[in-house]
C-alpha cells in the first residue's frame, strides 16, 4: 500500500462515502488547502461517481440550495471557520444540512466558536481526517515545513526548537495513523548518547504521541499479518555534502539548474507543466543519469515516429498510395490519434527540458566543477589515486569569471567539509577570493551549527570520527558507471545497515527496545535470499541494460504508446521483513530519494522515505544564511531567474568523462533484482557518457517533433488536445486507493455531538 493509495482511500471511505443524503446527490464546498489535497488524489470523475454534483470554493459567491445537503472540506484555520459561521448567520440557511470535515485537528478555541454559533444546529457530522502531509511519490512524503532547519538547529532558540519538533511529531503521527503503523523507533546519534540531539528529542516526542493515540483509539494499530515496522530518524547533519554537490540525475538537475521547487516546468512561451506520476516518461526516468535520459529519448522518439500510425501519417511515411490504401491508412490513423497527441506533447516537453539542462551544464562549466567536487567528496580521483587537491586548486576555480557565483560558494563549503576544516587564514583568503557577500560568509560560518569543523584540528583529520558513515568511505575502490556520479549519499549506507540489521546499536539506539517476542528469531539480515553476498562483479549489468529492452519500453503494441511503460504488479515486499520508514529531519534531496528506491530494489524490502521538506541547493544555502538569526523566520527569498534557451536551440551534447583505470571485480555486490517500478528498462550507456550513435540521434529529436507539429498544422491529423478533468479549475491526479486507520476525536468533542445529534 503506497501513501497516495492510503490517502485516497481515507478521503473516499471516511468523507465522501460517509455522506449519504436522502436525495443521494450532494454538494462539496472546499477552501484552498482542501482543494489542493483533492487535486493531488482524485479527479472530478471520481467525485461524480460518488454522487457529488459540484465542487465550490468556500470563499467564493455560491448559489443557495436549501433543499440539498453539503459536504464542507476545510483546513482548521480561523478564516475558514469564520466563513462557515457567516454562511449560517443569514435569515435563510444556504443548505438543508452540512457535514464538516477538517484536514487536520481542529483547535479547541475554534471548536468552541463553532459550537456557540448558529451553524451548529445544521451540522450532522464533524470529523478530523488528519491529512497533514504531502505524498510526493509512491514511497516519498514531506511534512511541508520548509523552515525546519533553522527552527531545529539554532542553538539560541531552544523554545522554538521544542515547538518545531512537537509540530513535526504530530504530523508524523498523522502519517503513521494513515498507514496503520506503530513502529519501533530508532534514531541516529553519532555521539553515542552523550548529546541530546534533535533526532533523539523527536523520537521521544513521537513515541509519546503514538502511546497517546493508542489510548484514544484501542483499534490502533490494526492487527496485521506483517511484522512491526521500524521508523529510523536521521538528521540533515549526517550528510552535508549531498545538498551542496551537483548531481546528474534527471530530477536533481531539473530542480537544481531549472529551479523547479514545485515540480512544475515552465517551457519557453507556454503554460507550466506538472511533472508527476501521471507523466510516465518522468515517472520512469526521473532518477536516471541525464546521459541515459537523452539516450532513451533518442530511441523513444525514433520508435514513436516509426510505429505510431498517426505519427507516420503526419510525417507522410507511406508516400503515394491508392485511394483504398489511403482510406485504410486513415482508419488506422484515427485509432491512434489520442496516443499521438499525448506522446507528441510529452516528448516535446522532455526534449526541451534536456536541451535547457545541457545548455546550463555547458555555460556553468559543470564538467570541470563536478570533477573537483567528486574528488573532494570521495577522497580519491577517478583513476583511483588519493585526491591531492590543494587550496591553490580551489583558488583557480574561484578566480574563473566563467564559473557561476553560487557554484563557487558551494565548492568552498564542500572543500571545508571534506577537509574537516582548514586554517583560518586559508578560509579567509578563499572567501575573499570568491567575493562572498556578508550573508554568504555568514552561511559558511553557520556550517559549524550543523557540526562542521571550520578550523583545522590540532590532531589533523582524525579529529572527527564519523565511523562507518564517513564521507566517501564506502565509495572508494569501486567501479562507477559515470565519473561525475561517484559519490553516494550517506543515507544509502545507513539504510543498508538497518535493513540488514547490522547497524551499531550505539549509533542507532532505540527509543524503546523491541520486546523479546518481536526480536525473537530475528536473523542477522532480513535481505531477500540471494540478494546479499552474491558472487557477482560490480561490472555485471542487469537485464535492464540491454538495447532491446530500451526500444521495447516505448510500447510493445506497435503503436508507439505508453503500454510498455506501465508499472508492473507490486510485489509483497513486507513479507520479506519489517517495513522501514526513514525520516530525514531538515530536508531531503532527490538523490537521497533515489538511493532509497535503490536499496528497496536491491534488498527486496519495502522502504518509505519522508522529510520535513524537499531541498534544492539554492534554498539550502538560504537556510544556512539565516541559521544564526533570532526572532521570527524570514519569508523565502525569490530565486534568481534562470537562463533561457537561445533562439537557436543548442544540440544535445554528451557529458565528457575521463576514463578510469580498470579494477578487479568486487565479490560482495548484490545481483540486479527487480522490484516495483525499478524494473523498468534503462538504456545501456558507455562509461564515457552518451554513445556517438545516440548523440547523433539525439540531435534529431527536436527536428522530428517539429515535423510532427508542422504536419499537424497542415491538418493531416489535427485534433484538439485531450481535455483534463479539473476540480474547481485545478488539475487533478488519479491514484489508486487502500485502507487506512484514522485516530478518533477527543472525548469532549465526541460527547458534544452525541448529545446534539
Amino acid at each position: 500500500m503506497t501513501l497516495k493509495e492510503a490517502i485516497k482511500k481515507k478521503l473516499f471511505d471516511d468523507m465522501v462515502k460517509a455522506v449519504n443524503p436522502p436525495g443521494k446527490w450532494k454538494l462539496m464546498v472546499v477552501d484552498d488547502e482542501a482543494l489542493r489535497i483533492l487535486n493531488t488524489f482524485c479527479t472530478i470523475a471520481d467525485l461524480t461517481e460518488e454522487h457529488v454534483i459540484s465542487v465550490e470554493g468556500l470563499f467564493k459567491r455560491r448559489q443557495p440550495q436549501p433543499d440539498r445537503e453539503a459536504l464542507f472540506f476545510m483546513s482548521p484555520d480561523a478564516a475558514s471557520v469564520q466563513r462557515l459561521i457567516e454562511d449560517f448567520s443569514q435569515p435563510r440557511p444556504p443548505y438543508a444540512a452540512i457535514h464538516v470535515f477538517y484536514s487536520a485537528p481542529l483547535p479547541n478555541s475554534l471548536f468552541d466558536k463553532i459550537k456557540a454559533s448558529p451553524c451548529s444546529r445544521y451540522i450532522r457530522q464533524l470529523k478530523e481526517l488528519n491529512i497533514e502531509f504531502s505524498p510526493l511519490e509512491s514511497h516519498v512524503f514531506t511534512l511541508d515545513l520548509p523552515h525546519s532547519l533553522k527552527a531545529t538547529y539554532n542553538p539560541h532558540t531552544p523554545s522554538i526548537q521544542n515547538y518545531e519538533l512537537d509540530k513535526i511529531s504530530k504530523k508524523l503521527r498523522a502519517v503513521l495513523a494513515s498507514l496503520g503503523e506503530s513502529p519501533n523507533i530508532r534514531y541516529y546519534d553519532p555521539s553515542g548518547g552523550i548529546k541530546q540531539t534533535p533526532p533523539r528529542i523527536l523520537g521521544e516526542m513521537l513515541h509519546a504521541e503514538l502511546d497517546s493515540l493508542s489510548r484514544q483509539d484501542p483499534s490502533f494499530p490494526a492487527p496485521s499479518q506483517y511484522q512491526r515496522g521500524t521508523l529510523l530518524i536521521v538528521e540533515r547533519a549526517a550528510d552535508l555534502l549531498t545538498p551542496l554537490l551537483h548531481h546528474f540525475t534527471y530530477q536533481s538537475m531539473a530542480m537544481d539548474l531549472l529551479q523547479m521547487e514545485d515540480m512544475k516546468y515552465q517551457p519557453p512561451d507556454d503554460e507550466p507543466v506538472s511533472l508527476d506520476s501521471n507523466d510516465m516518461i518522468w515517472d520512469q526516468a526521473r532518477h536516471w543519469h541525464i546521459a541515459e535520459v537523452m539516450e532513451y529519448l533518442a530511441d523513444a522518439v525514433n520508435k514513436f515516429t516509426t510505429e505510431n500510425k498517426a505519427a507516420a501519417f503526419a510525417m507522410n511515411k507511406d508516400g503515394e498510395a491508392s485511394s483504398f490504401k489511403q482510406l485504410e491508412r486513415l482508419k488506422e490513423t484515427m485509432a491512434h490519434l489520442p496516443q499521438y497527441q499525448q506522446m507528441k506533447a510529452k516528448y516535446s516537453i522532455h526534449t526541451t527540458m534536456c536541451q535547457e539542462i545541457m545548455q546550463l551544464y555547458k555555460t556553468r562549466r559543470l564538467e570541470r566543477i563536478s570533477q573537483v567536487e567528486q574528488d573532494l567528496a570521495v577522497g580519491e580521483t577517478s583513476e583511483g589515486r588519493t585526491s591531492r587537491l590543494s587550496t591553490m586548486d580551489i583558488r583557480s576555480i574561484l578566480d574563473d569569471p566563467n564559473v557561476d557565483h553560487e557554484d563557487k560558494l558551494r565548492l568552498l563549503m564542500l572543500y571545508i567539509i571534506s577537509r574537516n576544516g582548514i586554517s583560518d587564514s586559508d578560509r579567509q583568503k578563499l572567501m575573499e577570493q570568491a567575493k562572498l557577500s556578508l550573508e554568504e560568509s555568514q552561511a559558511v560560518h553557520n556550517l559549524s551549527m550543523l557540526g562542521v569543523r571550520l578550523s583545522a584540528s590540532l590532531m589533523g583529520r582524525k579529529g572527527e570520527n564519523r565511523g562507518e558513515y564517513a564521507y566517501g568511505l564506502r565509495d572508494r575502490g569501486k567501479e562507477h558507471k559515470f565519473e561525475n556520479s561517484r559519490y553516494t549519499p550517506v543515507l544509502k549506507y545507513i539504510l543498508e545497515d538497518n535493513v540488514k540489521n547490522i547497524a551499531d546499536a550505539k549509533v542507532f539506539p532505540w527509543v524503546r527496545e523491541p520486546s523479546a517476542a518481536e526480536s525473537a528469531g530475528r536473523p542477522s539480515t532480513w535481505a531477500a535470499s540471494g540478494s546479499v553476498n552474491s558472487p557477482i562483479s560490480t561490472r555485471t549489468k542487469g537485464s535492464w541494460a540491454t538495447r532491446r529492452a530500451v526500444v521495447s519500453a516505448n510500447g510493445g503494441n506497435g503503436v508507439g504508446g505508453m503500454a510498455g511503460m506501465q508499472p508492473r504488479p507490486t510485489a509483497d515486499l513486507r513479507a520479506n521483513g519489517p517495513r522501514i520508514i526513514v525520516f530525514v529531519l531538515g530536508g531531503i534531496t532527490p538523490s537521497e530519494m533515489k538511493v532509497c528506491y535503490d536499496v528497496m530494489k536491491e534488498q527486496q524490502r519495502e522502504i518509505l522515505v519522508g522529510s520535513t521538506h524537499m531541498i534544492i541547493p539554492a534554498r539550502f544555502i538560504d537556510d544556512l544564511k539565516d541559521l544564526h538569526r533570532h526572532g521570527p523566520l524570514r519569508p523565502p527569498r525569490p530565486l534568481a531567474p534562470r537562463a533561457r534557451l537561445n533562439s537557436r536551440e543548442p544540440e544535445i551534447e554528451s557529458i565528457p568523462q575521463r576514463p578510469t583505470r580498470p579494477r578487479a571485480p568486487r565479490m560482495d555486490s548484490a545481483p540486479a533484482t527487480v522490484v516495483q517500478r525499478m524494473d523498468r528498462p534503462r538504456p545501456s550507456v558507455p562509461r564515457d557518457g552518451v554513445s556517438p550513435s545516440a548523440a547523433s540521434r539525439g540531435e534529431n529529436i527536436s527536428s522530428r517533433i517539429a515535423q510532427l507539429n508542422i504536419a499537424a498544422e497542415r491538418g493531416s491529423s489535427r485534433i484538439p488536445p485531450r481535455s483534463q478533468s479539473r476540480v474547481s479549475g485545478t488539475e487533478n491526479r488519479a491514484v489508486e486507493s487502500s485502507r487506512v486507520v484514522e485516530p478518533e476525536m477527543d472525548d469532549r468533542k465526541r460527547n458534544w455531538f452525541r448529545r446534539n445529534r
Side-chain angles (χ1 to χ4, degrees):
M1 178 180 61
T2 67
L3 289 169
K4 287 192 173 184
E5 291 170 347
I7 300 306
K8 184 176 181 180
K9 184 70 173 178
K10 188 183 195 75
L11 287 172
F12 277 79
D13 285 0
D14 299 345
M15 182 178 72
V16 180
K17 294 180 181 180
V19 178
N20 297 297
K24 187 173 70 173
W25 295 98
K26 53 207 169 193
L27 307 169
M28 181 176 282
V29 181
V30 297
D31 63 5
D32 293 340
E33 174 62 18
L35 181 62
R36 183 192 66 80
I37 294 173
L38 282 180
N39 283 317
T40 303
F41 302 106
C42 62
T43 65
I44 192 67
D46 296 330
L47 296 174
T48 303
E49 288 179 1
E50 299 301 329
H51 307 107
V52 176
I53 59 175
S54 68
V55 179
E56 301 177 340
L58 176 66
F59 294 97
K60 293 183 179 179
R61 188 173 182 178
R62 287 169 273 124
Q63 182 70 27
Q65 300 194 39
D67 58 334
R68 295 191 182 277
E69 296 186 8
L71 186 161
F72 278 69
F73 182 32
M74 306 183 298
S75 55
D77 63 80
S80 296
V81 170
Q82 181 61 36
R83 186 55 190 261
L84 172 65
I85 294 173
E86 291 174 357
D87 274 359
F88 289 87
S89 299
Q90 306 170 15
R92 295 186 60 186
Y95 307 106
I98 57 175
H99 307 260
V100 184
F101 297 86
Y102 284 99
S103 59
L106 183 68
N108 288 333
S109 59
L110 296 179
F111 174 76
D112 293 336
K113 189 174 182 179
I114 293 174
K115 186 172 66 172
S117 70
C119 73
S120 63
R121 299 195 303 270
Y122 299 91
I123 296 178
R124 297 293 180 263
Q125 295 183 72
L126 191 148
K127 201 170 188 179
E128 298 163 337
L129 297 180
N130 291 282
I131 305 175
E132 299 182 86
F133 59 97
S134 297
L136 300 182
E137 298 177 8
S138 62
H139 291 76
V140 181
F141 68 90
T142 64
L143 303 184
D144 300 320
L145 297 172
H147 298 294
S148 63
L149 191 69
K150 175 191 172 182
T152 305
Y153 289 97
N154 189 329
H156 307 301
T157 56
S159 59
I160 294 179
Q161 181 193 61
N162 289 333
Y163 174 79
E164 186 75 9
L165 292 176
D166 181 66
K167 182 164 57 175
I168 293 172
S169 69
K170 286 180 168 54
K171 286 177 172 284
L172 272 177
R173 184 187 75 164
V175 175
L176 297 173
S178 298
L179 293 171
E181 184 82 71
S182 181
N184 295 306
I185 302 174
R186 304 186 81 170
Y187 57 90
Y188 176 65
D189 184 8
S191 70
I194 299 175
K195 301 178 181 179
Q196 188 78 348
T197 60
R200 178 179 178 178
I201 299 172
L202 176 60
E204 293 170 350
M205 286 181 172
L206 179 58
H207 185 268
E209 290 287 343
L210 292 176
D211 282 349
S212 174
L213 179 58
S214 298
R215 289 192 297 269
Q216 292 178 17
D217 184 3
S219 65
F220 176 81
S224 174
Q225 61 176 328
Y226 302 111
Q227 301 169 68
R228 187 178 182 184
T230 299
L231 174 67
L232 180 63
I233 302 176
V234 183
E235 61 180 337
R236 181 68 271 162
D239 184 359
L240 294 175
L241 292 186
T242 294
L244 294 171
L245 284 167
H246 287 90
H247 300 273
F248 295 96
T249 58
Y250 194 16
Q251 184 176 11
S252 296
M253 294 189 79
M255 294 186 66
D256 185 359
L257 303 183
L258 304 184
Q259 301 173 353
M260 290 183 357
E261 289 186 281
D262 54 357
M263 300 315 299
K264 288 186 178 181
Y265 172 62
Q266 176 65 64
D269 305 322
D270 205 347
E271 295 296 322
V273 178
S274 295
L275 300 174
D276 52 32
S277 58
N278 292 325
D279 186 337
M280 298 302 291
I281 297 176
W282 174 259
D283 193 41
Q284 177 181 6
R286 66 183 183 274
H287 293 313
W288 292 1
H289 193 280
I290 187 65
E292 296 173 317
V293 176
M294 293 189 298
E295 174 84 358
Y296 169 77
L297 282 176
D299 286 335
V301 171
N302 270 338
K303 186 173 180 66
F304 171 67
T305 55
T306 302
E307 295 188 0
N308 185 280
K309 301 299 182 182
F313 184 82
M315 299 184 71
N316 297 318
K317 293 291 185 182
D318 295 340
E320 295 296 330
S322 64
S323 300
F324 178 77
K325 289 185 177 180
Q326 287 180 352
L327 290 175
E328 287 295 322
R329 189 182 64 184
L330 182 60
K331 181 180 178 181
E332 292 179 349
T333 299
M334 295 301 293
H336 298 103
L337 278 177
Q339 291 174 331
Y340 165 71
Q341 289 287 342
Q342 182 184 19
M343 292 304 298
K344 185 184 72 173
K346 291 188 181 300
Y347 285 135
S348 178
I349 288 296
H350 289 284
T351 300
T352 304
M353 280 183 62
C354 284
Q355 288 176 334
E356 192 166 354
I357 286 172
M358 291 309 300
Q359 184 190 48
L360 292 170
Y361 172 86
K362 182 178 180 180
T363 56
R364 289 176 61 166
R365 306 294 194 272
L366 293 187
E367 177 191 351
R368 177 190 180 192
I369 294 173
S370 65
Q371 187 68 41
V372 176
E373 289 180 347
Q374 293 295 311
D375 289 354
L376 288 173
V378 178
E380 69 176 16
T381 65
S382 57
E383 290 81 15
R385 296 190 294 268
T386 301
S387 176
R388 301 295 183 185
L389 285 170
S390 64
T391 303
M392 294 303 298
D393 297 317
I394 304 301
R395 293 179 66 176
S396 66
I397 297 180
L398 300 183
D399 276 336
D400 190 344
N402 295 315
V403 175
D404 188 78
H405 182 74
E406 181 186 299
D407 293 335
K408 294 180 181 180
L409 175 57
R410 290 164 64 174
L411 182 62
L412 176 56
M413 290 180 174
L414 287 169
Y415 183 64
I416 294 173
I417 296 171
S418 63
R419 286 291 184 257
N420 198 17
I422 58 178
S423 67
D424 294 342
S425 59
D426 283 345
R427 186 176 68 253
Q428 187 62 35
K429 290 177 182 177
L430 290 175
M431 289 193 296
E432 291 175 356
Q433 195 156 7
K435 297 181 173 58
L436 301 187
S437 66
L438 183 61
E439 281 191 329
E440 291 167 342
S441 300
Q442 185 65 55
V444 175
H445 289 290
N446 286 348
L447 287 171
S448 62
M449 302 172 74
L450 296 174
V452 174
R453 179 179 284 107
L454 299 179
S455 300
S457 171
L458 296 177
M459 297 180 289
R461 294 183 186 176
K462 295 183 179 179
E464 182 187 34
N465 182 18
R466 297 178 58 88
E468 289 295 319
Y469 308 110
Y471 294 126
L473 177 64
R474 303 193 195 183
D475 298 321
R476 297 166 196 162
K478 288 185 178 180
E479 180 79 4
H480 299 280
K481 191 172 185 179
F482 296 101
E483 308 304 331
N484 55 15
S485 300
R486 287 176 280 141
Y487 178 78
T488 303
V490 174
L491 184 61
K492 179 177 183 180
Y493 303 120
I494 290 177
L495 263 178
E496 285 180 342
D497 289 352
N498 279 271
V499 166
K500 298 175 185 177
N501 198 29
I502 59 174
D504 189 345
K506 293 181 180 179
V507 180
F508 294 96
W510 301 91
V511 171
R512 184 170 64 185
E513 196 76 24
S515 64
E518 290 175 320
S519 58
R522 175 177 292 184
S524 61
T525 174
W526 283 107
S529 176
S531 63
V532 180
N533 299 326
S534 175
I536 296 180
S537 166
T538 54
R539 296 169 180 259
T540 302
K541 295 182 179 180
S543 60
W544 48 264
T546 62
R547 168 68 56 185
R548 181 171 53 187
V550 175
V551 177
S552 64
N554 195 44
N557 55 1
V559 297
M562 303 174 69
M565 300 167 63
Q566 297 298 330
R568 299 181 182 178
T570 301
D572 188 8
L573 300 181
R574 295 187 68 185
N576 296 335
R579 170 196 278 156
I580 302 292
I581 305 171
V582 57
F583 182 79
V584 182
L585 180 62
I588 192 170
T589 66
S591 60
E592 288 169 321
M593 293 160 51
K594 174 188 180 298
V595 300
C596 290
Y597 284 114
D598 290 343
V599 175
M600 184 167 64
K601 177 186 71 173
E602 294 164 2
Q603 304 299 329
Q604 292 286 288
R605 288 281 298 279
E606 183 173 30
I607 296 174
L608 303 180
V609 56
S611 184
T612 49
H613 61 294
M614 281 281 286
I615 285 181
I616 64 171
R619 289 297 184 207
F620 181 66
I621 292 175
D622 280 347
D623 289 341
L624 289 175
K625 293 175 183 178
D626 294 340
L627 203 57
H628 68 291
R629 294 183 182 275
H630 297 265
L633 301 173
R634 298 197 303 178
R637 302 175 180 85
L639 294 173
R642 71 178 192 265
R644 304 300 316 195
L645 283 172
N646 298 327
S647 57
R648 180 183 179 275
E649 294 181 345
E651 297 177 348
I652 296 182
E653 303 176 5
S654 63
I655 300 181
Q657 309 284 350
R658 288 166 51 185
T660 57
R661 63 182 176 89
R663 298 183 181 277
R666 294 174 60 89
M667 304 301 291
D668 58 348
S669 63
T673 53
V674 178
V675 59
Q676 287 203 348
R677 301 191 178 189
M678 301 300 108
D679 59 1
R680 295 173 182 164
R682 191 181 293 189
S684 175
V685 180
R687 291 177 45 76
D688 58 349
V690 183
S691 64
S693 60
S696 62
R697 288 197 304 272
E699 295 172 3
N700 297 324
I701 297 177
S702 296
S703 61
R704 282 182 172 272
I705 294 177
Q707 290 176 22
L708 293 177
N709 292 330
I710 293 172
E713 291 175 1
R714 291 175 184 160
S716 329
S717 57
R718 187 171 186 175
I719 65 169
R722 182 179 291 181
S723 60
Q724 298 183 357
S725 302
R726 294 176 179 269
V727 176
S728 189
T730 306
E731 183 181 359
N732 291 272
R733 305 172 181 88
V735 294
E736 299 176 4
S737 59
S738 56
R739 179 68 180 165
V740 298
V741 175
E742 176 199 348
E744 294 184 357
M745 300 170 57
D746 60 46
D747 293 338
R748 190 171 69 93
K749 298 176 185 177
R750 183 169 55 251
N751 294 335
W752 180 81
F753 279 102
R754 285 176 178 173
R755 292 195 304 269
N756 292 275
R757 185 168 297 173

